[in-house]
């Protein structure tokens, strides 16, 4: 056991949340609770909303995204994206088509109902966002927080490319 961990366990920091990873986990769970609550009647998960929102974004940019493009943009692994897309296709929100020039690639498009549902979900999430992050009320605090989270995402998103297989834990 390293010295820092030994010190933190003595002072009870593992329970009080002085470890950044635990704080991120706690904030993430609370944020997911808020999202689940505001999306409940739409019968969408956080992942399906991320997929819908990313498809909408690509189309607004004039691009026809592949399933892999959407997975990468939403920061979810390919299998999770595939399950979410399958669910959205079954609900009639997304059309998945095999690309004519490369049959290994599925392109995604929102149906009119899918576009409407995506816009409604995004609007609800943005409203929930204002409530949840109200404690970061000054723009400089919010910008600093967002920049630091973005840095964490950027420095760790390579894990998705390898399916997490390169992540190893070292035990002494």
């Amino acid at each position: 056991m390293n010295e820092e961990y030994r010190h933190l366990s003595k002072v009870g920091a593992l329970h009080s949340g002085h470890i950044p990873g635990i704080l991120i986990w706690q904030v993430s769970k609370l944020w997911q609770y808020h999202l689940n609550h505001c999306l409940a009647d739409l019968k969408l998960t956080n992942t399906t909303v991320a997929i819908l929102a990313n498809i909408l974004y690509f189309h607004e940019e004039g691009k026809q995204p592949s399933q892999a493009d959407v997975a990468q943009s939403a920061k979810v692994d390919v299998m999770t994206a595939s399950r979410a897309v399958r669910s959205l296709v079954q609900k009639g929100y997304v059309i998945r088509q095999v690309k004519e020039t490369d049959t290994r690639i599925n392109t995604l498009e929102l149906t009119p109902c899918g576009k409407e549902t995506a816009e409604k979900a995004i609007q609800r999430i943005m409203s929930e966002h204002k409530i949840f992050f109200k404690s970061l009320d000054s723009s400089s605090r919010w910008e600093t927080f967002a920049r630091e989270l973005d840095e964490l995402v950027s420095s760790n998103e390579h894990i998705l490319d390898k399916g997490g297989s390169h992540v190893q834990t070292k035990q002494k």
Side-chain angles (χ1 to χ4, degrees), residues 10-68:
K10 283 182 186 176
V11 297
L14 291 177
H15 294 287
S16 62
H18 288 94
I19 297 174
I22 290 174
L23 290 170
I24 289 171
W25 177 76
Q26 289 172 339
V27 169
S28 175
K29 296 306 283 181
L30 291 168
W31 176 237
Q32 287 177 27
Y33 173 81
H34 279 261
L35 292 182
N36 289 337
H37 179 73
C38 79
L39 299 170
D41 67 312
L42 295 176
K43 302 204 181 333
L44 296 172
T45 65
N46 302 337
T47 302
T48 55
V49 171
I51 298 295
L52 284 173
N54 277 281
I55 296 170
L56 180 62
Y57 168 77
F58 276 109
H59 282 283
E60 287 175 349
E61 294 293 310
K63 300 173 184 170
Q64 186 167 23
S66 70
Q67 191 165 306

Side-chain angles (χ1 to χ4, degrees), residues 139-150:
S139 64
S140 64
R141 284 185 72 201
W142 169 248
E143 288 170 8
T144 299
F145 180 68
R147 189 173 46 253
E148 289 174 355
L149 287 175
D150 189 50

Side-chain angles (χ1 to χ4, degrees), residues 6 12-13 56 70 81 95 97 106 122 136-137 145 172:
R6 186 173 291 123
L56 180 62
V70 172
I95 298 169
Q97 297 176 349
N106 289 313
I122 291 166
L136 300 174
D137 54 359
F145 180 68
K172 294 182 179 183

Side-chain angles (χ1 to χ4, degrees), residues 1-2 166-172:
M1 182 183 304
N2 71 31
H166 79 287
V167 177
Q168 297 178 8
T169 57
K170 295 181 181 178
Q171 297 192 6
K172 294 182 179 183

